[in-house]
Amino acid sequence: MADNDNIDTIGLSRRTVLAGLGAVGVASAGAGLGTTAYFNDTESFEGNSLTAGQLDLLVDWQQTYDFGEGQTFVSAHPDHNGDGEQSVEIDDEVFAYSDFPDESDADSNGANLPVLTCDNIPPLSEADFGTDPVTGEEMESLVQLTDVKPGDSGEITFSLHLCDNPGYIWIQAENISEDGGAGTEPELLVDPDNAGDLGDAIEARLWYDEDCDNVYDPAEPVDIMLTLDFSGSMLYDQFGGVVSDDDISINGSSYTETTKIDLVELGTRQFIDFLQNSNADVQVGVAYFDGEKSGDNKPRTGILQSLTSDLSAVDGALSGLRQRLANVVSGGASSTPFDGDGDPNPFTGGGIATGTYIGEGVDDAQGELDTNGRSGVEKRNIVLSDGESFNGTGSTTFSSPTAAADDARAASPSPATDIYTINVNGSASTLLAMAGPAGGAGGDLLFFNDLDDPLNIPTVFGNLAAQATQEKIIIEDTLANVLAELADGDGVPLDGNRATLYNELDDPTDDPDRDAFRGDGVMHCVALEWELPLEVGNEVQGDTLAFDLGFHTEQARHNDGAGPSQAA
């Protein structure tokens, strides 16, 4: 359990973006446990020191303002040329927010930079709050609203990267300052006390911006194929399939060790559970791909579950993936996932098919979308692999994975399909080249997930599930009420896996459905948007509102997510 004495609080100036309350990692002895470490991370501006242990939360953002003529860039971090648009120079190449628009969304004019990682995000000490788009003066708070007119709106999206170790994260508000300003005659007629009413008049929404494009995405119908690697390296220890000696439980099935395919089953079944509970308008199917057995000379690929809106059937197909994979990899020459003749023991050796026919799997999935997909509905294929696409030991001709993905994105065969890829310590270059939107080119970082640690597989499927339905709203209320929630106690707890059913405002912070964020630097985005309705009257004339936003993290190990203010 956390100890409040292990948390050191820093005073924060109005020029500070919170990225934590604690400033020090403290070692404390536990009876019979040896020495453990409790870490908080703090990132702060000007005059405040930065101290981080083995828990490092890196933050970047893009803030915009719309006067009714389209979005204006206000401030960003990083912003290599100081023009308010998020940008960074890496190896003499400049990447900017506007380089990454969502072509299928007319409201999108870019996205927080997917090239930013734990290795290249500049420190917050280099951040600049930019210039107030109304007054032209340097901003003293992260969000500064002055001379707001009915119909004005704005938005800020934060990109979070938790590095080194898993941790729980809270979003917080600080330094909230509201003023009635100079009382004009029209305002005093309706607001004689000249109170600061702007926060109560502004409508606001805080949500998980899964695609990091600063635009809230409602639900749309979609047909999805999950195309999964069924090669031996996903299960068998001799090929690196065993991830750890830790137990794992998946919907009632328990194993004494954790393999990659176990994590795929956990992630995909959470994916399906989330879609079911969201009442998403989806069809989902499952394809698989392996290699070949000696003398077989044919790729072992196929459809595990045809496209269907019956998500219970899909969940059933994804149940017991150890055995289904084993049937394909170590079963008979013509074995299918349903034959039951494979050996699912991860420590079995010999008689295992070799090779990874990624392209054949993509072709099978695309054929299923063509045959059973709904007309006029968006199509997606989520491809996961931990290996190189190669021919194994035989002489079978096989499809190029990049060519298969190019055909799928270009609607040859139809329909045009978004290709999302998940690389699990496999061929990153191949899977990146495959990833991209329908009608677009491959190599799109927004559609590519690169995992060094297989334990992060469920988190990625959680993020992709959230993208398959409406993005999850944390709170939708007046800006005053949203800020009150963010400023209360530790702030609002965030969920590291949106596929779990956690209510950030009503459920306890240590609820089992609230997951820690994996410490692998995977990009997660949280956004706040606001709008002053057109029907608002003179009571807000001259009112101003300013506030800082930020994040606190504490390590997951030896903590349950309760947070520092609730710890004994």
Side-chain angles (χ1 to χ4, degrees):
M1 183 175 292
D3 185 342
N4 282 338
D5 292 337
N6 288 339
I7 301 171
D8 184 19
T9 302
I10 291 180
L12 298 166
S13 72
R14 285 171 60 83
R15 299 249 333 141
T16 298
V17 171
L18 271 72
L21 292 178
V24 61
V26 180
S28 60
L33 298 176
T35 299
T36 61
Y38 178 87
F39 290 111
N40 295 296
D41 180 34
T42 294
E43 311 260 7
S44 61
F45 295 114
E46 295 182 5
N48 291 326
S49 62
L50 166 62
T51 306
Q54 296 300 310
L55 186 70
D56 197 8
L57 176 63
L58 301 181
V59 180
D60 60 83
W61 75 81
Q62 175 66 69
Q63 183 177 182
T64 61
Y65 196 117
D66 189 345
F67 300 91
E69 299 177 353
Q71 293 178 337
T72 299
F73 295 122
V74 176
S75 72
H77 177 69
D79 180 4
H80 88 294
N81 59 2
D83 65 354
E85 179 181 1
Q86 189 181 69
S87 59
V88 66
E89 186 172 358
I90 302 174
D91 297 330
D92 298 324
E93 184 177 1
V94 173
F95 299 89
Y97 171 90
S98 56
D99 293 335
F100 299 95
D102 182 349
E103 302 291 351
S104 64
D105 187 346
D107 294 324
S108 171
N109 65 345
N112 283 22
L113 299 178
V115 297
L116 292 175
T117 68
C118 289
D119 297 324
N120 60 28
I121 296 176
L124 284 178
S125 59
E126 299 179 9
D128 186 346
F129 278 11
T131 302
D132 188 316
V134 176
T135 67
E137 298 178 355
E138 183 179 11
M139 291 176 64
E140 295 184 353
S141 295
L142 179 64
V143 180
Q144 190 167 297
L145 306 179
T146 57
D147 193 27
V148 181
K149 299 293 192 294
D152 284 2
S153 62
E155 199 273 351
I156 183 167
T157 289
F158 293 96
S159 171
L160 312 179
H161 306 253
L162 187 60
C163 311
D164 299 321
N165 278 307
Y168 296 99
I169 298 178
W170 286 256
I171 180 171
Q172 306 164 321
E174 180 86 1
N175 303 324
I176 301 169
S177 174
E178 189 166 20
D179 191 271
T184 63
E185 179 184 358
E187 180 184 14
L188 294 175
L189 289 174
V190 295
D191 183 14
D193 295 329
N194 193 26
D197 302 308
L198 193 56
D200 290 320
I202 289 177
E203 298 174 350
R205 175 192 287 142
L206 178 70
W207 83 99
Y208 294 101
D209 189 9
E210 300 294 349
D211 54 1
C212 302
D213 69 346
N214 300 56
V215 178
Y216 172 70
D217 296 321
E220 297 287 347
V222 60
D223 290 341
I224 305 169
M225 288 298 296
L226 304 175
T227 303
L228 307 178
D229 192 333
F230 265 29
S231 61
S233 57
M234 295 292 293
L235 172 62
Y236 296 104
D237 186 54
Q238 70 183 96
F239 300 117
V242 176
V243 174
S244 75
D245 294 330
D246 294 335
D247 296 351
I248 187 171
S249 296
I250 313 165
N251 293 62
S253 298
S254 297
Y255 305 103
T256 57
E257 67 286 310
T258 299
T259 71
K260 295 175 190 174
I261 198 64
D262 297 332
L263 294 163
V264 169
E265 179 176 343
L266 180 63
T268 55
R269 295 183 72 183
Q270 285 182 347
F271 180 97
I272 296 302
D273 187 56
F274 178 83
L275 296 179
Q276 281 184 306
N277 284 283
S278 301
N279 294 316
D281 184 2
V282 296
Q283 286 193 142
V284 181
V286 185
Y288 68 92
F289 57 89
D290 179 33
E292 61 183 29
K293 297 191 75 171
S294 179
D296 194 7
N297 294 329
K298 66 178 181 180
R300 296 185 169 208
T301 68
I303 301 299
L304 182 67
Q305 170 64 55
S306 59
L307 275 171
T308 178
S309 59
D310 182 357
L311 298 185
S312 295
V314 182
D315 182 70
L318 292 167
S319 175
L321 287 189
R322 274 197 187 193
Q323 183 65 61
R324 300 201 192 285
L325 183 152
N327 297 339
V328 173
V329 173
S330 62
S334 59
S335 186
T336 74
F338 305 100
D339 289 340
D341 56 351
D343 186 350
N345 181 353
F347 303 101
T348 294
I352 294 174
T354 58
T356 309
Y357 290 97
I358 301 176
E360 299 288 341
V362 172
D363 284 342
D364 287 348
Q366 186 67 14
E368 179 64 19
L369 287 168
D370 186 23
T371 301
N372 294 318
R374 294 172 291 175
S375 176
V377 169
E378 181 180 349
K379 306 296 188 295
R380 295 181 185 176
N381 186 4
I382 299 171
V383 184
L384 178 144
S385 180
D386 75 336
E388 299 279 350
S389 182
F390 70 105
N391 197 18
T393 58
S395 58
T396 304
T397 300
F398 63 100
S399 296
S400 158
T402 52
D406 289 346
D407 287 346
R409 294 193 315 274
S412 175
S414 63
T417 302
D418 294 329
I419 303 293
Y420 292 83
T421 59
I422 305 171
N423 172 53
V424 187
N425 277 332
S427 179
S429 59
T430 297
L431 288 162
L432 172 58
M434 295 168 60
D444 193 322
L445 288 164
L446 293 174
F447 292 77
F448 174 62
N449 298 273
D450 192 15
L451 303 185
D452 292 330
D453 187 347
L455 290 173
N456 296 312
I457 290 172
T459 297
V460 171
F461 274 108
N463 297 346
L464 293 172
Q467 291 185 44
T469 182
Q470 66 182 31
E471 292 178 328
K472 182 180 179 182
I473 297 172
I474 300 171
I475 180 173
E476 195 166 24
D477 207 326
T478 66
L479 182 54
N481 287 342
V482 171
L483 292 176
E485 290 282 358
L486 294 173
D488 183 33
D490 299 326
V492 173
L494 300 178
D495 188 10
N497 181 358
R498 265 74 72 204
T500 54
L501 302 178
Y502 177 69
N503 186 305
E504 287 77 2
L505 299 184
D506 296 332
D507 291 340
T509 51
D510 58 354
D511 190 285
D513 279 337
R514 182 195 177 198
D515 287 359
F517 289 75
R518 303 299 311 180
D520 61 349
V522 167
M523 183 175 177
H524 299 266
C525 288
V526 181
L528 174 69
E529 67 178 3
W530 60 269
E531 181 176 9
L532 185 62
L534 289 169
E535 61 269 18
V536 170
N538 288 328
E539 65 270 16
V540 300
Q541 276 198 36
D543 290 8
T544 63
L545 175 63
F547 54 92
D548 289 328
L549 294 170
F551 302 86
H552 165 72
T553 182
E554 64 180 30
Q555 70 176 35
R557 188 183 302 173
H558 305 304
N559 291 296
D560 57 8
S565 68
Q566 299 184 47

